[in-house]
Every structure is written in C-alpha cells, then in structure tokens.
Amino acid sequence: MLRVLAERWRQKMRTIDFPRNHPPLSDRFRGRPLLQPERCAGPGCGTCTAVCPSGAIGTDASGLFLDLGRCLFCGACSAACPKGVISWSDDFRMAARRREDLVLRGGPPPGLFPLEKERRQLFARSLRLRQVSAGGCMACEADLNVLTTVVFDLGRFGIDFVASPRHGDGVAVTGPVTRNMRDALLWTLEATPEPRVVVAVGACAISGGIYRGLPETADGATELLPVDLFIPGCPPHPLTILHGLLGMLGRLSTGEAG
Amino acid sequence: MVEWHVHDSLTVEAIPVLTAEDFRMAVANAVDQGARLVAFFAAPTVGGATRLYAILAWDGRSCLQALATDPGFGYPSLTPICPQAHWFEREIFEVHGITPHNHPWLKPIRFHDRQDGGERPAPCVTEYFTVHGSEVHEVAVGPVHAGIIEPGHFRFQCLGETVLHLEISLGYQHRGIEAQLPGGPDRRTIHFMETAAGDTTMGHTWAHCAALEAIAGVRPSPRAQAIRAIALELERLANHTGDLGALALDMGFLPTSSFCGRLRGDFLNMTALVCGNRFGRGLVRPGGVVWDIEPERAQELLRRVRTTVRDVRGAVRLFLESSMARNRLENTGALAVEHAVRLGLVGPAARACGVVRDDRWSYPQPDVPLPAGTPATGEGGDLLARAMVRAQEIETSAALVERLLQELPHGPLLLPMPKLPPQRMAVSLIEAWRGEVCHVVATDGEGRFAWYKVVDPSFHNWFGLTMVLRGTEISDFPLCNKSFNLSYCGHDL
C-alpha cells in the first residue's frame, strides 16, 4: 500500500486541463489542412488528386476541395503540389455535425454546433456510448480507449463507454463497416434506447477511408446510420475526438469550439 | 528445396514443384527438424493454375526455404502430421476452394465470398465443436464485446466453471486487403499496410518495404534503418506497456493499469514526435523513411524514453511484485512448450513458454544492431510468464532505442525506388511487438505485384489462445485474452 502511494506521488497528477489548455502537440502533427485555392494551377494540373490515396481531393464547379471525411492526413498532396496550395495547421479541432461541413475549400472552417435542445439537455451532463468496431484497424479504437486514461479522464465530463447498448445513449462507430459486421452494427444501434446519438470516428467510419469502394466494405457508417458527429482522422487525435464530443454536447465556450 | 537469405530475392521458378505427397513429407520433415512454416498459401502461376507454396524459416541458420506443389482441387492435408499448417490450410480452402483431404477441422476462418460460387456463409455461422452431457453448457460471446476492442465470436464449452474447449471464430474485420494488392504497388498500397493491423503499423510497413527493397535491390541508408528500428521499438514499448496495464486492470489492480494507460500514450506521443502521427502513419516508405530525427529531436526523445521507462518500471514492479497479482497470474492460462512449438506460435506468447524465437536476432535487418543480450524468455507459459517477458522486453527495447538515438548513423532518408524487376519474389520477416510479421511478394512480367501474402503474428497465435483456455475457468478468459492481445483485423485482413 505504501509503495503504491509512493509510486503515485512520484508519477504525479497527469490529467490535462482540457478544454481550457492542452499539452503541446508534435511539431509534425498534421491537423486541419489549410487550402489556398487561389494558388492552384487549375483542374488541369491534377498533381494532388493523382497522389491522394483516398480520393479526398478534387475539383468541381466551385474549384478545389479537400474532404476531411476521406483524408488520411498522409501529406502526399502537400509534398507533391508544386504551388504550395495545401499546408497543415496544428489545429486538431476538426469534428463536424454535418457531413458537408467536412469538405474544405479555403476560407474559414464551418463551426461545430451542438445537438438540438432535447438531446443536448438529456446528454450534456451524462453521455454513455457503446463502441462498435466494424472493420477498424485498432488505431481509432486505441485513441477512443486512451480518453478513459488519467490523461484525458473522460469520466469528468460525464462521458463514458459502456459494455451494453442497453446502457448506452448512443454508438461510436469505427471502421469502414465490413460486410461481416454490418448486421451486428445495425442490431447494436437498434438495441440502444432512443433518443440516441451516433458518432463516426475516423476516415473509415465516415467514408470508408482507404477502404472505400472495396467489395467487402460498406464505405463507412454515414450511409447506414443517422450520424450526429463526424470525427475525421486516420486515426483522429484523442483531442480531436474529445473536442468533437464536448462540442456536440454544447460544452465548449465560443473560443474553445473553434 | 531452394534456400536463400531473407534480404535477397529469387525467381518464383526457382522454387521446386514437388508432387503433393513429396511436398507434404518435405514440409513435415523440415518442421520436425526445427524449421517454422512462416507462410503457406496458394497463388496463381503464370499459366493461370493455382500452386501451393510453403515458406520455411530456419532460425538457427537465418535462412529461408521454399517449395511448391500443384494441388489441383485437393491434396493430402499437412495438418495431421504438421499442426503448424492448420490455420493456413483452412485459409487456402476458404480462399481458393482447394481441399486439404483429411484436415481435422476444415471450416472457414473469415466467412467471405466463396470462390466456387457457392452461397456466402453468414459470419461465424459454422459447425462448432460441442461437448454434450447433462451439465455441459455453452457460452457464446461476441461479435460485439464489452470493451473498446475489435469484434470476434467466442464459444465456450463449459462444465460448471471449467472450460472444456473454446472455439474462436473470426472474420468480422475482413476488409479484403490481399485481394486489392495484385497489380500494385499503387498509391493505396502503403496505406493498406499501415492499417492491416493498425496497432502494428511499423511492423507491417517495414515488412512491406523490406520485401520491395529486396526485390528492387535497394538498401536503405543506415540512418533510415535506424529510424525505422526506433519507431518499431517505440511501437513495442507502447503496446507492451498497454498490455501490462490491461492485465492489471482485468484483475482489479488499478494503480498499475492507471499508470500504464498514461505511459502507453506517452510512447505513442514519441512516435508522433518523429512523424506527426501516434501510430507511425506516414513514416516508412519503400526506400527509407520520410521524417528525420535531428539532434535536438533525438535529445528530446532520449529524455522522454528515459523518464517514461522509469515510470513504467515503477508501475510494473508494483504489479509483478505484489503477492496478490502473482497469485492470480501464476499457473493460470499455462501453455506447454510442446504445444507452442507444434502450433508454431510466435512473439511473447511463444517466448513465455521458453521458446527462443525472435526475428530481431534470427533475421536482423541490414544496418540494424542486435538488441543487447538474448531474446527474453519465460518458463511455464502462464500469465505470469507472458507478463514477465513483456516487462523484460520493455527494458531491451528501451536500451536499443537509447543506443540508436545516441549514435544515429548518417545517410539519406529516402532512396528513390526503381520500377520493380519482373518475375522476382521476396519474403520479409519483422519481429513486431506481437511477433513475426511475414510478407511474401512476387512480381509479374511487368514488375507489378502478381500476388501478395500477408501473415500477421495473430494468424499463428489465435489457436494458442484456444489451447490455453482448456481446463481453465471461464473467469480466467479476460486475463488469458489480454495476455495474448491478438489482432482481429491483422488476422482477418
């Protein structure tokens, strides 16, 4: 017992002061990409689209866009682009409530708005999520799990992961939704009492990610389930997930919401 | 039998094609004499037929052997005389419809589309091994488990609390990666490798790159190799720390689980310091690495590794020196060394049984120094041994990382990769944190992938977990499962 206390004293208090503050991220962290479409050589160039492994970059009538819901944050585009159109910020605040808000086009990013009043009142101070991995590679799962450690201490926000969908207020999906997990995912959601929330964590769950278009996957949960929160990344940084969850619950001040 | 060293390539034609019976006896004899069946699979020949290939690894001599046979629609199963072939033969049967005759346990392992056009099986719906008797009962768990883990289906046959048998049925995570690889490499290939088993990104990307580099005859610079080795050991440190914490959590030993949860993340953040991603995404590419470790970064990493390992040591010591924890760990979930050898287990699960098997020593990567000492091994193959092996490996890995950071060699980060030469084949072996990652790659007449085989360590080890559960109590399962901590997606691919 004394040894446990001594070790605890030595290892100190480690919980971060999020959302007020957060520890510095790696200087090489690739957060929200910054687009400068005015520098783009035009749709004829095609350098970035040719190297993007997941089809996250493209051009349409409105010009160049980058879909965070598909992006793997690998940096292939920024390395290839001769004009410096794409660069990476250290802003981890990337979650969105609407799928279309993940499509960046330069200009300021759309904000993260909370749930409507009914569910916000129900869940803002207590949200229990059932996690379902449906083809996830264990990276998104690991970064969800890490939120329950002393560093992030998810419990202090009233958020936790539960063992049964019957105890849950919603489902957090990871993975591109494999054919073999499709039914189990749908049944898990069905077993969750309403009203409920659905959170898609990672590029795979949002769009299929690198597995988009494969015959064994369903291109993520977006088409299958009524997703309330999209958290981009491959995998998302734990702070991206935590920020998204708190933003969805309306628990961030204006400055923190990004 | 053709023999070569792991960093060389060969032509597929150099592999002798034996009759099915000779092939069977040759593989079984080699395994009896100490070889390991690191990969056994079917692949198309240039003529369009399907050929079986067995890749044998001789750890003592650091060399590989290969042999092949043309099975037609079926061949005599190796499993009865060579249990290491058990899971491979089920895979071959499921993917190619080639029947290993007299296989004792011939069922799907991933439940995907059948190649013979038959109806796709529902996931994990199969004939389970059952025990009958008035007081025997069956416990079914999964696919969705209680924690934040991947899906799989477990069936326990129990008499009271005692587990008579556990059958593990997987396939829920099957994304069809291998089927996407022929015709490559293309812009998606490296990302499939990074996410084949996402907690083993370094293991799989290095195995992929090593195979391509062997085929292309490219030798990455010593600096690139050292950075790869640092990242591989950081991956091991993170996961071993997490596993020890998870073992502590499942027996309610909360101080250690709480410390290790934080410390695991600290190791992941060190990987992020190197490449911006906590799992090593974007670091390794064929020809070398993308990100450098400059002197200041090396100093910062060195400082962090030292303080974090000191904290891990403190957390693990509390756990492994507690009489309560030892009482729970000792003699629980034991696996006999004969079973580990006969099933071809790899990684800490094998070493905990006393099997000396670590590819970092047997098949060292070019320009990467051997870790100090000998591979960590345990005795008795129980939960305590699997925990102790991890604790020892944390020390070895940390020492290797410190050494590499202090004397980073020079050289370019990334060498240009030429187009792959046609009709070549290579095998790569990387000792990832769970055990051996094996990639087997062959190019076609145009230098594209003709076929590509991935063997995750979990592929060898899932049946080991089954064996461990026999005769234990059902309440021991969570601990036994954590002590193996196998990958579902790495198995399902």
Side-chain angles (χ1 to χ4, degrees):
Chain A
M1 185 65 199
L2 286 175
R3 292 185 57 198
V4 170
L5 290 173
E7 191 61 32
R8 170 65 182 78
W9 182 75
R10 211 177 57 72
Q11 297 212 11
K12 301 188 180 66
M13 219 280 278
R14 296 291 183 158
T15 307
I16 61 173
D17 187 27
F18 191 81
R20 272 190 295 266
N21 290 301
H22 64 83
L25 298 170
S26 162
D27 58 328
R28 289 172 174 173
F29 171 71
R30 290 177 292 283
R32 179 189 296 281
L34 301 171
L35 292 192
Q36 293 177 281
E38 65 280 4
R39 287 194 186 181
C40 184
C45 167
T47 310
C48 54
T49 49
V51 296
C52 178
S54 57
I57 305 185
T59 44
D60 59 13
S62 319
L64 184 75
F65 66 86
L66 194 160
D67 183 356
L68 288 182
R70 288 206 200 180
C71 183
L72 308 181
F73 297 79
C74 66
C77 52
S78 51
C81 177
K83 305 275 186 184
V85 175
I86 306 142
S87 56
W88 302 89
S89 75
D90 62 356
D91 189 0
F92 59 82
R93 299 170 300 180
M94 288 183 280
R97 290 285 324 285
R98 293 180 306 200
R99 179 69 181 88
E100 60 268 30
D101 287 351
L102 294 176
V103 182
L104 305 183
R105 293 182 181 276
L112 168 64
F113 57 89
L115 288 168
E116 80 290 343
K117 195 176 168 197
E118 187 205 352
R119 286 189 295 169
R120 195 171 74 232
Q121 284 184 338
L122 272 172
F123 301 140
R125 298 202 299 170
S126 170
L127 179 71
R128 297 286 180 269
L129 291 171
R130 170 64 257 197
Q131 204 277 321
V132 180
S133 171
C137 73
M138 202 59 204
C140 286
E141 290 81 354
D143 272 348
L144 283 167
N145 237 332
V146 84
L147 293 178
T148 64
T149 64
V150 293
V151 178
F152 299 94
D153 192 13
L154 195 61
R156 79 195 140 115
F157 301 107
I159 309 173
D160 209 351
F161 294 100
V162 290
S164 166
R166 301 284 188 209
H167 304 156
D169 304 311
V171 171
V173 190
T174 52
V177 187
T178 54
R179 277 180 71 181
N180 283 348
M181 263 310 278
R182 189 179 178 276
D183 287 346
L185 171 64
L186 294 175
W187 293 335
T188 304
L189 185 73
E190 211 172 282
T192 312
E194 292 187 272
R196 60 198 173 205
V197 295
V198 178
V199 183
V201 181
C204 284
I206 296 172
S207 69
I210 190 70
Y211 297 101
R212 186 177 181 84
L214 266 58
E216 286 287 338
T217 68
D219 295 348
T222 303
E223 305 284 317
L224 285 173
L225 311 177
V227 177
D228 295 291
L229 180 65
F230 301 87
I231 305 177
C234 184
H237 193 278
L239 289 176
T240 307
I241 305 174
L242 187 52
H243 174 267
L245 290 172
L246 295 179
M248 177 182 75
L249 298 174
R251 296 196 42 180
L252 297 173
S253 63
T254 320
E256 294 159 350
Chain B
M1 220 181 272
V2 58
E3 187 169 310
W4 76 101
H5 285 279
V6 71
H7 309 301
D8 297 331
S9 68
L10 66 160
T11 61
V12 181
E13 283 70 39
I15 299 175
V17 183
L18 312 180
T19 66
E21 189 52 39
D22 287 351
F23 174 84
R24 175 174 181 260
M25 293 316 295
V27 172
N29 286 337
V31 169
D32 280 345
Q33 287 159 27
R36 290 185 300 115
L37 192 55
V38 293
F40 178 27
F41 54 94
T45 62
V46 178
T50 304
R51 183 167 285 175
L52 293 185
Y53 295 94
I55 313 290
L56 294 157
W58 294 86
D59 296 347
R61 293 192 286 128
S62 301
C63 71
L64 296 166
Q65 290 179 335
L67 60 170
T69 188
D70 289 326
F73 295 107
Y75 67 100
S77 168
L78 274 71
T79 301
I81 54 171
C82 177
Q84 287 186 26
H86 165 204
W87 217 258
F88 288 116
E89 291 197 313
R90 284 173 62 173
E91 182 188 41
I92 291 165
F93 170 67
E94 184 176 25
V95 176
H96 299 277
I98 299 168
T99 308
H101 297 299
N102 298 321
H103 189 288
W105 199 261
L106 197 55
K107 297 186 268 197
I109 61 169
R110 298 192 183 105
F111 300 86
H112 50 61
D113 283 331
R114 284 170 52 170
Q115 296 309 300
D116 58 6
E119 197 184 339
R120 181 186 173 109
C124 296
V125 174
T126 184
E127 273 181 43
Y128 285 87
F129 179 84
T130 52
V131 181
H132 298 279
S134 60
E135 290 177 34
V136 172
H137 61 106
E138 185 180 67
V139 179
V141 181
V144 181
H145 300 295
I148 305 179
I149 56 169
E150 300 177 72
H153 185 68
F154 300 136
R155 290 260 179 120
F156 300 85
Q157 308 294 322
C158 301
L159 182 63
E161 283 291 303
T162 307
V163 178
L164 300 172
H165 184 69
L166 160 67
E167 187 164 350
I168 299 168
S169 199
L170 303 172
Y172 291 102
Q173 299 286 73
H174 180 57
R175 297 151 292 172
I177 292 178
E178 280 182 334
Q180 297 297 317
L181 299 174
D186 59 32
R187 56 185 168 174
R188 296 179 309 162
T189 308
I190 191 75
H191 301 280
F192 288 136
M193 298 302 155
E194 288 184 336
T195 54
D199 51 18
T200 316
T201 296
M202 277 308 306
H204 277 286
T205 48
W206 197 350
H208 169 70
C209 294
L212 265 57
E213 287 153 6
I215 288 180
V218 169
R219 183 165 172 163
S221 77
R223 188 175 190 86
Q225 291 288 80
I227 293 171
R228 287 175 175 184
I230 289 166
L232 184 76
E233 297 309 322
L234 287 176
E235 189 170 87
R236 192 183 325 275
L237 286 163
N239 284 295
H240 280 6
T241 303
D243 284 351
L244 288 167
L247 274 176
L249 178 70
D250 272 12
M251 69 171 69
F253 198 88
L254 297 184
T256 297
S257 84
S258 163
F259 293 138
C260 287
R262 187 264 296 184
L263 295 163
R264 176 177 185 279
D266 287 351
F267 285 120
L268 296 178
N269 287 338
M270 289 179 220
T271 302
L273 186 64
V274 177
C275 70
N277 181 290
R278 286 157 47 91
F279 296 84
R281 309 274 161 91
L283 175 60
V284 179
R285 292 292 180 267
V289 293
V290 174
W291 298 98
D292 196 12
I293 300 181
E294 317 88 316
E296 318 81 72
R297 201 174 295 269
Q299 285 309 311
E300 172 63 11
L301 280 168
L302 204 54
R303 187 190 66 75
R304 288 204 208 174
V305 169
R306 284 179 176 149
T307 52
T308 308
V309 166
R310 198 189 59 206
D311 284 355
V312 171
R313 211 173 278 146
V316 171
R317 209 173 275 163
L318 282 182
F319 181 51
L320 293 180
E321 290 177 5
S322 137
S323 53
M324 183 198 85
R326 287 186 82 99
N327 186 39
R328 184 77 182 88
L329 295 170
E330 259 171 343
N331 300 320
T332 307
L335 184 67
V337 61
E338 308 85 75
H339 285 147
V341 170
R342 279 171 68 76
L343 292 171
L345 297 201
V346 294
R351 292 193 283 275
C353 301
V355 184
V356 184
R357 179 172 292 175
D358 189 318
D359 289 349
R360 289 178 295 169
W361 276 270
S362 306
Y363 307 94
Q365 289 297 311
D367 301 314
V368 176
L370 295 185
T374 53
T377 51
E379 273 176 40
D382 57 4
L383 291 174
L384 183 65
R386 286 192 282 278
M388 299 279 271
V389 163
R390 286 188 173 89
Q392 287 175 49
E393 290 184 357
I394 285 171
E395 298 292 344
T396 325
S397 285
L400 182 57
V401 171
E402 284 191 34
R403 184 175 150 203
L404 288 165
L405 285 170
Q406 281 167 322
E407 40 194 73
L408 267 178
H410 297 284
L413 292 180
L414 195 60
L415 298 178
M417 282 292 283
K419 194 173 178 315
L420 296 178
Q423 311 285 10
R424 301 296 293 180
M425 165 182 158
V427 176
S428 58
L429 299 174
I430 295 288
E431 187 72 25
W433 64 277
R434 258 191 207 101
E436 176 180 272
V437 172
C438 173
H439 287 209
V440 191
V441 191
T443 56
D444 65 11
E446 272 88 54
R448 295 172 308 200
F449 295 153
W451 43 263
Y452 199 117
K453 186 82 202 91
V454 176
V455 186
D456 186 85
S458 305
F459 194 89
H460 299 284
N461 282 8
W462 273 109
F463 204 74
L465 179 58
T466 284
M467 296 304 291
V468 156
L469 258 286
R470 287 193 177 174
T472 63
E473 300 202 346
I474 196 163
S475 52
D476 292 333
F477 175 70
L479 277 170
C480 291
N481 191 30
K482 291 275 165 54
S483 76
F484 274 73
N485 189 10
L486 300 175
S487 174
Y488 300 71
C489 58
H491 170 275
D492 291 346
L493 292 174

